[in-house]
Amino acid sequence: MSTTETSTRIRVQYVDPREVVIKANVRTQVNLTREFVASIKRHGVIVPVIGYPGEDGRVTVEEGQRRILGAIEAERFEVPAYIVPESDTEAIRIIRQLIANDQRTALTDGERAAAWKQLELDGLSVTAIARELGEKPKRVKAGLAVVDSEVATNAVTEHQLTLDQALVLIKFEDDPELVRTLEESARNNPDGFAHYAQRLRDQRDTDRQVASLIEGFAQRGIRVIDWPGWDDKTTARVEDLEYADGAPLTIEGYEGKPGHAIAVHESWRGVEFGHFVTDFKAHGLRKPSATGAPVGKWTEEEKTERRTLIANNKAWGSAEVVRREWLASFLSRRTLPKDALPFAATVLVAHTSQLRSALDDHHAVALELLGFEYKWGTRSPLAPLVEHNPAKTGTVLVAVAVAAMEGATSKNTWRNPTSDDVAYFTALQGWGYTLSEVEDLVLGISPQPNPADEDDAPVDEASTPDETDVAEPADPESDAADSDPDHSGPTDVVDQDTDGE
């Protein structure tokens, strides 16, 4: 045993954690995380515990029970200890523990990331840093990316965002306004941050696609106009017009001629563009004679329902991305919730339609969630995974069951949830997943207004009929409601989404 005398009353010595006595501690629960134990296993206990010699010669530890228990778990049987005189009273001992715990300030995420960056500059890889410190490589990688971004670093140090939240901001650092709204979302609604960020990502992707199309048409010398509104009586689709002699116009035949223009917009179908003629009467064109369809108008309630339907369908698409990312992380846990296997068993024996669809698709969703990809003509990776690692059997069963339920969801789920859908989303919520507003609808929970969402994903007004020039109103949720009464005809859809209405 090595002993170093530091004063007449205090000395430092190494003790065997299996032989010490641990006094009652102010900590009622000892959280021996995997990372904590891994760090001790690799580096040993660095900060000495505090104890005093007992009458039987064994050291009684007053402060440091977590380090002692962690050392036993890590099988590191030499722990440094400050050996001090026994406390005069029980009250003094407790005061020592409170002071030691209260005054030990944990490193912030920003400080950790800065230290990781220094280790990287010293030549350590992400894997090496994670291994040495008992961190997850994904977290270290996120921290290094945050340090390299001024916007993300400021979000962590000034606004107390987590590394994962700050990492999201990097993709928006060219737009200070979006960065500000994301910081507000992280502060005011941290549980919903992932959903809000994904909606912004999707909307930004859509906006960029629209801008790219407009730029492409402009470079070809084609005039680009705003999508005509319902009250525009001078602009019509090329397909809806004819010459004075009754011959119909075609896109191929009229492109580049007087009044021809392209309009691009976002609708429930995705990003689409159409060919129009502006001021068509002045160019000697006309609309075919009316069909005699009765004239009607949509009520404000129907218009509101229509806007809600479009907005919720978009929100569902964003939520699906977040949900599946969460499921992949959930299935990577070492230990799944106790009710996960019973849930899986219920799905496998009772939800035959969902399971049959998953089988027909070779469990594509389950493979995606577990990080695999099915290749036609080959054996599914799931079987070898269980064969080579039987401990993964439960995880694979849960993955297959959850993926079967997940694969059966669609944009129709929020409008017409079945009892199976309710059971599935209830299970996800019980396992710690934060439902978005549109997913709350599956469980019958009405959304609460969120100030951060007020400007989210603008609804295309051109998709909503105007009272002054509308055919007979249709059910806002029917396919007929998606047609354009004034500008009927084919539309070039850039991002077709067939999983909608």
Side-chain angles (χ1 to χ4, degrees), residues 208-287:
R208 286 174 173 171
Q209 193 173 13
V210 169
S212 177
L213 280 172
I214 291 174
E215 182 181 359
F217 287 124
Q219 288 177 350
R220 289 169 52 191
I222 300 177
R223 186 164 60 108
V224 180
I225 62 173
D226 292 335
W227 197 274
W230 289 89
D231 57 349
D232 189 340
K233 307 300 182 184
T234 65
T235 302
R237 287 183 183 272
V238 168
E239 308 94 313
D240 294 340
L241 295 171
E242 63 182 17
Y243 293 99
D245 60 3
L249 270 67
T250 64
I251 293 174
E252 296 79 7
Y254 203 80
E255 184 173 332
K257 292 188 176 181
H260 174 257
I262 289 282
V264 183
H265 78 160
E266 175 193 3
S267 75
W268 68 268
R269 304 176 186 88
V271 176
E272 61 184 12
F273 62 90
H275 294 257
F276 294 87
V277 180
T278 58
D279 200 12
F280 63 88
K281 292 182 181 179
H283 302 305
L285 306 174
R286 68 186 186 188
K287 288 185 178 182

Side-chain angles (χ1 to χ4, degrees), residues 206-439:
T206 296
D207 292 343
R208 286 174 173 171
Q209 193 173 13
V210 169
S212 177
L213 280 172
I214 291 174
E215 182 181 359
F217 287 124
Q219 288 177 350
R220 289 169 52 191
I222 300 177
R223 186 164 60 108
V224 180
I225 62 173
D226 292 335
W227 197 274
W230 289 89
D231 57 349
D232 189 340
K233 307 300 182 184
T234 65
T235 302
R237 287 183 183 272
V238 168
E239 308 94 313
D240 294 340
L241 295 171
E242 63 182 17
Y243 293 99
D245 60 3
L249 270 67
T250 64
I251 293 174
E252 296 79 7
Y254 203 80
E255 184 173 332
K257 292 188 176 181
H260 174 257
I262 289 282
V264 183
H265 78 160
E266 175 193 3
S267 75
W268 68 268
R269 304 176 186 88
V271 176
E272 61 184 12
F273 62 90
H275 294 257
F276 294 87
V277 180
T278 58
D279 200 12
F280 63 88
K281 292 182 181 179
H283 302 305
L285 306 174
R286 68 186 186 188
K287 288 185 178 182
S289 58
T291 61
V295 177
K297 62 180 181 180
W298 280 25
T299 65
E300 287 301 320
E301 182 179 0
E302 288 171 330
K303 291 182 181 180
T304 299
E305 289 178 0
R306 173 67 178 160
R307 293 189 179 97
T308 299
L309 182 144
I310 294 173
N312 281 349
N313 277 353
K314 289 182 63 178
W316 186 268
S318 300
E320 182 179 280
V321 175
V322 176
R323 189 170 65 250
R324 295 195 178 188
E325 288 179 351
W326 183 89
L327 284 170
S329 177
F330 171 75
L331 292 169
S332 70
R333 296 180 187 176
R334 291 182 64 186
T335 305
L336 295 176
K338 293 180 179 180
D339 62 341
L341 268 177
F343 175 85
T346 301
V347 172
L348 297 178
V349 301
H351 301 306
T352 54
S353 62
Q354 294 93 332
L355 189 59
R356 187 178 300 112
S357 296
L359 285 166
D360 290 341
D361 199 27
H362 301 281
H363 295 297
V365 176
L367 291 172
E368 174 193 338
L369 297 179
L370 292 173
F372 296 100
E373 182 179 357
Y374 176 73
K375 296 182 180 179
W376 287 92
T378 63
R379 189 184 184 199
S380 171
L382 294 180
L385 178 62
V386 174
E387 291 170 1
H388 297 149
N389 191 352
K392 288 286 186 181
T393 301
T395 297
V396 171
L397 287 174
V398 172
V400 168
V402 166
M405 301 300 292
E406 175 64 24
T409 63
S410 70
K411 292 178 181 177
N412 188 55
T413 303
W414 70 266
R415 282 188 293 170
N416 302 298
T418 66
S419 58
D420 291 347
D421 295 325
V422 173
Y424 173 54
F425 281 89
T426 299
L428 293 184
Q429 188 177 54
W431 295 335
Y433 174 66
T434 301
L435 272 62
S436 65
E437 291 91 340
V438 72
E439 291 168 316

